C-alpha cells in the first residue's frame, strides 16, 4: 500500500521478447507531485517518468529534422540536480541512465564536476555498447540546461571526439 509501480514496454523483438522499463516509487512521492499540480490549478491524469518526456521531445526533434532518424545519438538532458543520458539508435531508445550531476554542481564546482560528468558519460557509453547492436555513437545532443554551463559543449566535443550541439528544450514547441 505504500508504493506505486508502473511500466513501459520499450521494444519488442521478432522472437517475442520485450524490453521493459519498470518504475517503483513511494506513494507519498507521487502524491506530492499531484498535490503540487492541483495547487497550481492544473489537473493531471497521470505522472510519467522523465524518460517518457525526453523521448517524446526527441521524437519531435526528429520529426522536424528527418536526417536525425538515421543517426546514433547520445542525448544529455541536464537539469538542476541531475543529468539524464539516453542513447538513440536510428530513433529507437536503446539505453538510458540518470547521473547525479546537474547544472547546480557544474556551476558551483566548475571544472571538477565537468571532469566527473565526462567520466560518467564515458562509463555510460561503454555500458550502452552491448545494447547498441554494433552501432557507434555519431553525434551528441545537449538540452535542458542554461548558458551557465556553455563550456560543457566544447569539453564533450573535444574529449569524446564527436560533433556536439545544444538544442534549447523548448525550441520544438510553440
Amino acid at each position: 500500500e505504500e508504493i506505486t509501480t508502473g511500466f513501459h514496454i520499450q521494444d519488442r523483438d521478432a522472437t517475442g521478447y520485450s524490453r521493459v522499463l519498470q518504475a517503483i516509487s513511494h506513494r507519498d512521492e507521487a502524491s506530492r507531485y499531484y498535490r503540487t499540480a492541483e495547487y497550481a490549478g492544473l489537473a493531471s491524469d497521470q505522472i510519467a517518468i522523465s524518460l517518457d518526456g525526453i523521448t517524446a521531445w526527441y521524437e519531435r526533434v526528429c520529426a522536424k529534422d528527418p536526417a536525425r532518424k538515421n543517426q546514433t545519438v547520445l542525448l544529455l538532458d541536464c537539469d538542476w540536480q541531475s543529468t539524464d543520458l539516453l542513447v538513440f539508435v536510428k530513433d529507437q531508445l536503446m539505453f538510458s541512465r540518470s547521473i547525479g550531476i546537474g547544472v547546480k554542481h557544474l556551476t558551483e564546482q566548475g571544472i571538477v564536476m565537468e571532469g566527473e560528468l565526462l567520466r560518467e558519460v564515458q562509463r555510460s557509453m561503454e555500458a550502452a555498447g552491448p545494447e547498441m547492436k554494433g552501432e557507434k555513437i555519431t553525434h551528441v545532443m545537449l538540452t535542458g540546461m542554461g548558458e551557465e554551463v556553455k563550456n560543457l559543449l566544447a569539453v564533450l566535443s573535444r574529449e569524446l571526439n564527436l560533433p556536439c550541439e545544444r538544442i534549447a528544450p523548448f525550441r520544438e514547441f510553440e
Side-chain angles (χ1 to χ4, degrees):
E1 291 181 16
E2 294 181 10
I3 63 168
T4 185
T5 64
F7 69 93
H8 177 75
I9 298 173
Q10 292 184 305
D11 188 28
R12 291 186 174 110
D13 67 16
T15 62
Y17 286 95
S18 298
R19 292 180 61 216
V20 179
L21 173 69
Q22 183 176 13
I24 302 170
S25 173
H26 197 277
R27 190 171 297 277
D28 288 346
E29 284 297 311
S31 297
R32 183 179 68 165
Y33 290 103
Y34 276 115
R35 286 191 302 273
T36 301
E38 287 174 0
Y39 183 73
L42 303 171
S44 55
D45 296 328
Q46 68 177 356
I47 292 177
I49 58 175
S50 63
L51 181 62
D52 285 338
I54 298 166
T55 301
W57 176 86
Y58 182 74
E59 288 170 356
R60 196 165 192 159
V61 169
C62 286
K64 296 219 175 179
D65 185 1
R68 290 185 191 278
K69 290 186 177 189
N70 294 320
Q71 297 178 339
T72 300
V73 175
L74 169 65
L75 172 63
L76 295 172
D77 179 36
C78 296
D79 290 328
W80 186 245
Q81 293 278 356
S82 65
T83 297
D84 287 321
L85 179 146
L86 297 85
V87 175
F88 290 92
V89 176
K90 297 190 178 17
D91 82 348
Q92 290 291 316
L93 177 64
M94 299 306 265
F95 181 84
S96 68
R97 178 176 177 224
S98 185
I99 300 169
I101 301 170
V103 173
K104 175 184 181 209
H105 309 101
L106 294 168
T107 53
E108 289 176 357
Q109 299 174 32
I111 220 159
V112 171
M113 290 312 285
E114 281 180 4
E116 185 60 29
L117 180 65
L118 179 63
R119 281 187 289 283
E120 291 298 325
V121 167
Q122 290 169 328
R123 285 184 197 129
S124 298
M125 289 171 67
E126 289 172 12
E131 301 291 326
M132 293 170 47
K133 302 176 182 174
E135 297 286 332
K136 299 284 183 204
I137 293 171
T138 59
H139 191 77
V140 178
M141 292 173 57
L142 272 76
T143 191
M145 59 187 199
E147 290 298 315
E148 302 91 350
V149 289
K150 59 186 171 190
N151 297 338
L152 184 58
L153 193 64
V155 169
L156 288 169
S157 182
R158 181 181 69 243
E159 297 297 324
L160 299 176
N161 196 27
L162 290 168
C164 298
E165 71 175 313
R166 181 183 183 279
I167 297 181
F170 299 112
R171 182 182 93 176
E172 303 304 322
F173 298 89
E174 297 172 9

